[in-house]
Amino acid sequence: MQDTFGRSINYMRISVTDRCNLRCRYCAPDGACVQADGILTDEEILRTVKAAVSTGITRFKVTGGEPLMRPGCADLLRRLKAIPGVQSVTLTTNGTMLAPLAKELAAFGLDGVNISLDAPERAEYARIAGADRLPDVLAGLDAALAAGLRTKLNCVLLPGCEKRLISLARFAAERPIDVRFIEVMPIGAGREDPGPDRDKALAILRTEWPGLHAVNECRGNGPAHYYADDALMGRIGMIDAVSHRFCENCNRIRLTCTGLLKPCLCYGESVDLRGALHSGSEEDLRAALCRAVAAKPRAHCFEDRAGITERRGMSEIGG
Ligand code: SAM
């Protein structure tokens, strides 16, 4: 489906819970969450995805909160993957609960997993994440690779992260995975914490890998710009939405766990899907999806804080 600016919208991020077992200081430091009876059911999510497929949205990322906190999340992922017309289902997770599920996810053909990892050293990880869970995350990463899942690491460019960038990037030297660095977006607690931007991060990485060079590759759902070096098995990705806005290529829409369709991360506007879900009509669902796509603005305004109208945090939206 095309939006009013001619962009092709083929990707939906689906938040399946706003609960999280971490308290990352830039994301969900106090961990508020809605009551379970306000959360979309599996059936409602599946119906939304079927309607989305019929409008040309065929790629889905399951997110949260921490999606694996949702009871039965692996089964929901399996059912999403089995919907005719769905091209790709991937998961983004903090990795703490991944290890025991990795084989099952690989067995039904999950198309990939992104693991969030902001520090490779245990005490620093615990300070940022608010929980001493680094060993569980690394076990999740190893299990994902052993199961043959396509795996990426996501690391936020937090203030003070300069000293750990090379150790984080080294995961791509030692394993066949992409390591992606995400500029802090001024959403939720991220408003208080601008960290280094892409160019600063690249300059630091080039002190270790001077040959790191841009490659024109799309390796998933879109937004990362990738860099390669002969000494790295995987790629380095930069998700540089703040310093190098890439809205002209935006291909996405977001579904919150309470049934709101968000046209853009930056603004509070949303289309409420619950009326359409309660009516039971796929046509109503399609119409609501089309309204949300039609409402997509040309661009975010992260550089102009006053224009940002989204007041919720990333864990409520799905990142
Ligand atoms: N719990 C899951 C995870 O860790 O991937 C999914 C939800 S989490 C909100 C999704 C991603 O958003 C994580 O990689 C997290 O680091 C990132 N994130 C949260 N707040 C952010 C911010 N203000 N700017 C950039 N990325 C942010």
Side-chain angles (χ1 to χ4, degrees):
M1 182 171 16
Q2 289 217 326
D3 74 358
T4 51
F5 301 99
R7 295 173 295 202
S8 177
I9 309 304
N10 63 2
Y11 171 49
M12 182 186 282
R13 292 179 70 93
I14 303 175
S15 174
V16 296
T17 180
D18 60 351
R19 287 169 192 268
C20 190
N21 55 347
L22 299 183
R23 293 288 172 268
C24 298
R25 58 184 176 81
Y26 61 92
C27 182
D30 36 13
C33 52
V34 297
Q35 295 303 310
D37 61 4
I39 303 284
L40 294 184
T41 64
D42 286 5
E43 300 311 320
E44 288 171 330
I45 293 171
L46 292 162
R47 278 170 49 212
T48 304
V49 166
K50 281 181 195 148
V53 168
S54 75
T55 71
I57 298 172
T58 57
R59 307 176 67 84
F60 299 88
K61 169 94 68 207
V62 168
T63 177
E66 171 46 40
L68 297 181
M69 295 271 291
R70 180 180 172 115
C73 185
D75 197 48
L76 175 60
L77 286 161
R78 180 185 60 73
R79 294 175 73 192
L80 287 172
K81 179 69 188 162
I83 292 174
V86 166
Q87 283 182 355
S88 152
V89 177
T90 52
L91 169 72
T92 179
T93 171
N94 62 34
T96 57
M97 301 167 73
L98 181 60
L101 291 170
K103 263 194 191 155
E104 178 186 348
L105 300 179
F108 66 72
L110 187 77
D111 294 286
V113 59
N114 292 357
I115 299 176
S116 302
L117 177 63
D118 294 323
E121 188 277 317
R122 191 164 175 171
E124 186 69 349
Y125 179 91
R127 189 185 67 76
I128 295 167
D132 180 19
R133 301 295 299 270
L134 182 64
D136 300 322
V137 181
L138 297 180
L141 171 61
D142 287 343
L145 289 173
L149 283 166
R150 182 173 176 174
T151 305
K152 297 174 185 168
L153 282 190
N154 284 341
C155 321
V156 178
L157 289 168
L158 297 169
C161 70
E162 292 85 345
K163 57 184 180 298
R164 49 181 186 267
L165 291 188
I166 289 174
S167 329
L168 284 166
R170 217 165 258 136
F171 278 92
E174 292 157 4
R175 300 169 170 88
I177 60 177
D178 296 344
V179 176
R180 293 129 46 98
F181 294 97
I182 308 174
E183 290 178 348
V184 177
M185 296 176 218
I187 296 289
R191 279 179 179 246
E192 288 138 41
D193 264 354
D197 65 10
R198 170 188 94 177
D199 291 341
K200 180 129 193 252
L202 277 173
I204 292 170
L205 295 175
R206 285 189 173 124
T207 63
E208 181 73 12
W209 296 285
L212 202 60
H213 58 280
V215 286
N216 192 11
E217 291 174 355
C218 180
R219 297 167 69 83
N221 292 310
H225 297 121
Y226 283 100
Y227 298 79
D229 185 276
D230 288 346
L232 297 172
M233 294 172 79
R235 299 280 190 252
I236 300 298
M238 292 287 165
I239 302 184
D240 44 9
V242 182
S243 67
H244 293 76
R245 188 207 308 245
F246 41 70
C247 301
E248 67 279 9
N249 296 321
C250 185
N251 60 349
R252 65 199 52 204
I253 193 151
R254 293 178 164 81
L255 176 64
T256 72
C257 63
T258 56
L260 302 178
L261 282 168
K262 264 184 72 61
C264 175
L265 190 54
C266 180
Y267 305 104
E269 285 78 22
S270 55
V271 172
D272 194 337
L273 216 55
R274 285 170 296 196
L277 282 166
H278 294 155
S279 87
S281 136
E282 185 170 324
E283 196 41 54
D284 288 353
L285 273 177
R286 248 199 308 273
L289 283 159
C290 292
R291 274 203 304 284
V293 168
K296 273 183 76 63
R298 182 189 291 278
H300 70 62
C301 65
F302 287 159
E303 69 291 349
D304 166 24
R305 298 281 174 107
I308 303 172
T309 56
E310 180 54 82
R311 297 284 165 246
R312 290 167 296 185
M314 281 294 201
S315 64
E316 293 168 88
I317 302 166

Short mmCIF file of all heavy atoms in Angstrom, two decimals, residues 138-162:
data_model
loop_
_atom_site.label_atom_id
_atom_site.label_comp_id
_atom_site.label_asym_id
_atom_site.label_seq_id
_atom_site.Cartn_x
_atom_site.Cartn_y
_atom_site.Cartn_z
N LEU A 138 23.66 -13.52 26.81
CA LEU A 138 24.70 -14.20 26.01
C LEU A 138 24.31 -15.65 25.74
O LEU A 138 24.56 -16.18 24.65
CB LEU A 138 26.05 -14.10 26.73
CG LEU A 138 26.57 -12.66 26.90
CD1 LEU A 138 27.91 -12.64 27.63
CD2 LEU A 138 26.70 -11.94 25.55
N ALA A 139 23.63 -16.27 26.71
CA ALA A 139 23.14 -17.64 26.48
C ALA A 139 22.08 -17.62 25.37
O ALA A 139 22.04 -18.51 24.51
CB ALA A 139 22.55 -18.21 27.77
N GLY A 140 21.24 -16.59 25.37
CA GLY A 140 20.23 -16.45 24.31
C GLY A 140 20.86 -16.26 22.94
O GLY A 140 20.44 -16.86 21.95
N LEU A 141 21.91 -15.45 22.90
CA LEU A 141 22.63 -15.21 21.64
C LEU A 141 23.25 -16.51 21.13
O LEU A 141 23.09 -16.89 19.95
CB LEU A 141 23.70 -14.15 21.87
CG LEU A 141 24.70 -13.90 20.76
CD1 LEU A 141 24.00 -13.42 19.49
CD2 LEU A 141 25.73 -12.86 21.19
N ASP A 142 23.93 -17.23 22.01
CA ASP A 142 24.56 -18.50 21.60
C ASP A 142 23.51 -19.50 21.13
O ASP A 142 23.69 -20.21 20.14
CB ASP A 142 25.36 -19.10 22.77
CG ASP A 142 26.64 -18.30 23.03
OD1 ASP A 142 27.04 -17.53 22.13
OD2 ASP A 142 27.21 -18.42 24.13
N ALA A 143 22.38 -19.56 21.86
CA ALA A 143 21.33 -20.51 21.49
C ALA A 143 20.72 -20.15 20.14
O ALA A 143 20.43 -21.03 19.32
CB ALA A 143 20.24 -20.53 22.57
N ALA A 144 20.54 -18.85 19.89
CA ALA A 144 19.98 -18.42 18.60
C ALA A 144 20.90 -18.83 17.47
O ALA A 144 20.46 -19.36 16.44
CB ALA A 144 19.76 -16.90 18.61
N LEU A 145 22.21 -18.60 17.66
CA LEU A 145 23.17 -18.97 16.60
C LEU A 145 23.23 -20.48 16.42
O LEU A 145 23.24 -20.98 15.29
CB LEU A 145 24.55 -18.41 16.94
CG LEU A 145 24.66 -16.88 16.82
CD1 LEU A 145 25.99 -16.39 17.35
CD2 LEU A 145 24.46 -16.45 15.38
N ALA A 146 23.23 -21.20 17.53
CA ALA A 146 23.29 -22.67 17.43
C ALA A 146 22.05 -23.22 16.73
O ALA A 146 22.12 -24.22 16.02
CB ALA A 146 23.42 -23.28 18.83
N ALA A 147 20.92 -22.54 16.91
CA ALA A 147 19.68 -23.01 16.27
C ALA A 147 19.61 -22.61 14.80
O ALA A 147 18.69 -23.00 14.08
CB ALA A 147 18.47 -22.45 17.03
N GLY A 148 20.55 -21.77 14.37
CA GLY A 148 20.56 -21.36 12.96
C GLY A 148 19.68 -20.16 12.68
O GLY A 148 19.35 -19.88 11.52
N LEU A 149 19.30 -19.43 13.73
CA LEU A 149 18.47 -18.23 13.51
C LEU A 149 19.34 -17.09 13.00
O LEU A 149 20.46 -16.88 13.50
CB LEU A 149 17.82 -17.79 14.83
CG LEU A 149 16.62 -18.61 15.30
CD1 LEU A 149 16.30 -18.30 16.76
CD2 LEU A 149 15.40 -18.31 14.41
N ARG A 150 18.83 -16.36 12.03
CA ARG A 150 19.53 -15.15 11.59
C ARG A 150 19.48 -14.14 12.74
O ARG A 150 18.39 -13.76 13.20
CB ARG A 150 18.83 -14.60 10.36
CG ARG A 150 19.50 -13.42 9.82
CD ARG A 150 18.91 -12.97 8.52
NE ARG A 150 19.61 -11.74 8.15
CZ ARG A 150 19.44 -11.12 7.02
NH1 ARG A 150 18.63 -11.58 6.12
NH2 ARG A 150 20.10 -10.02 6.78
N THR A 151 20.64 -13.72 13.20
CA THR A 151 20.70 -12.97 14.46
C THR A 151 21.44 -11.65 14.28
O THR A 151 22.47 -11.59 13.61
CB THR A 151 21.45 -13.83 15.52
OG1 THR A 151 20.79 -15.09 15.62
CG2 THR A 151 21.44 -13.17 16.88
N LYS A 152 20.88 -10.61 14.88
CA LYS A 152 21.54 -9.30 14.88
C LYS A 152 21.58 -8.79 16.31
O LYS A 152 20.69 -9.12 17.11
CB LYS A 152 20.75 -8.29 14.05
CG LYS A 152 20.64 -8.64 12.58
CD LYS A 152 19.73 -7.65 11.88
CE LYS A 152 19.50 -8.06 10.44
NZ LYS A 152 18.42 -7.30 9.81
N LEU A 153 22.58 -7.99 16.60
CA LEU A 153 22.63 -7.31 17.90
C LEU A 153 22.27 -5.84 17.70
O LEU A 153 22.73 -5.22 16.74
CB LEU A 153 24.03 -7.35 18.50
CG LEU A 153 24.52 -8.62 19.17
CD1 LEU A 153 25.83 -8.34 19.89
CD2 LEU A 153 23.49 -9.20 20.13
N ASN A 154 21.46 -5.30 18.60
CA ASN A 154 21.12 -3.88 18.59
C ASN A 154 21.70 -3.21 19.82
O ASN A 154 21.42 -3.65 20.94
CB ASN A 154 19.60 -3.68 18.60
CG ASN A 154 18.97 -3.95 17.24
OD1 ASN A 154 19.66 -3.94 16.22
ND2 ASN A 154 17.69 -4.18 17.24
N CYS A 155 22.49 -2.17 19.62
CA CYS A 155 23.14 -1.48 20.74
C CYS A 155 22.81 0.00 20.60
O CYS A 155 23.06 0.60 19.55
CB CYS A 155 24.66 -1.62 20.66
SG CYS A 155 25.22 -3.25 20.13
N VAL A 156 22.27 0.58 21.66
CA VAL A 156 21.92 2.00 21.61
C VAL A 156 23.16 2.84 21.94
O VAL A 156 23.94 2.50 22.82
CB VAL A 156 20.75 2.29 22.58
CG1 VAL A 156 20.40 3.78 22.56
CG2 VAL A 156 19.51 1.48 22.17
N LEU A 157 23.31 3.93 21.18
CA LEU A 157 24.47 4.82 21.36
C LEU A 157 24.20 5.76 22.54
O LEU A 157 23.93 6.95 22.38
CB LEU A 157 24.71 5.61 20.07
CG LEU A 157 25.26 4.77 18.90
CD1 LEU A 157 25.20 5.56 17.59
CD2 LEU A 157 26.69 4.33 19.20
N LEU A 158 24.31 5.19 23.73
CA LEU A 158 24.00 5.93 24.96
C LEU A 158 25.15 6.88 25.30
O LEU A 158 26.30 6.64 24.91
CB LEU A 158 23.79 4.94 26.10
CG LEU A 158 22.61 3.99 25.89
CD1 LEU A 158 22.64 2.87 26.91
CD2 LEU A 158 21.30 4.75 25.99
N PRO A 159 24.87 7.93 26.06
CA PRO A 159 25.97 8.79 26.51
C PRO A 159 26.99 7.95 27.27
O PRO A 159 26.59 7.10 28.09
CB PRO A 159 25.29 9.78 27.46
CG PRO A 159 23.84 9.67 27.21
CD PRO A 159 23.57 8.34 26.61
N GLY A 160 28.24 8.12 26.97
CA GLY A 160 29.29 7.37 27.67
C GLY A 160 29.57 6.01 27.05
O GLY A 160 30.42 5.26 27.55
N CYS A 161 28.90 5.67 25.95
CA CYS A 161 29.09 4.33 25.36
C CYS A 161 30.39 4.23 24.56
O CYS A 161 30.77 3.14 24.12
CB CYS A 161 27.92 3.95 24.47
SG CYS A 161 27.88 4.92 22.94
N GLU A 162 31.06 5.38 24.35
CA GLU A 162 32.23 5.39 23.47
C GLU A 162 33.23 4.30 23.86
O GLU A 162 33.79 3.62 23.01
CB GLU A 162 32.92 6.76 23.51
CG GLU A 162 32.12 7.90 22.88
CD GLU A 162 31.10 8.56 23.80
OE1 GLU A 162 30.79 7.97 24.86
OE2 GLU A 162 30.60 9.64 23.46
#
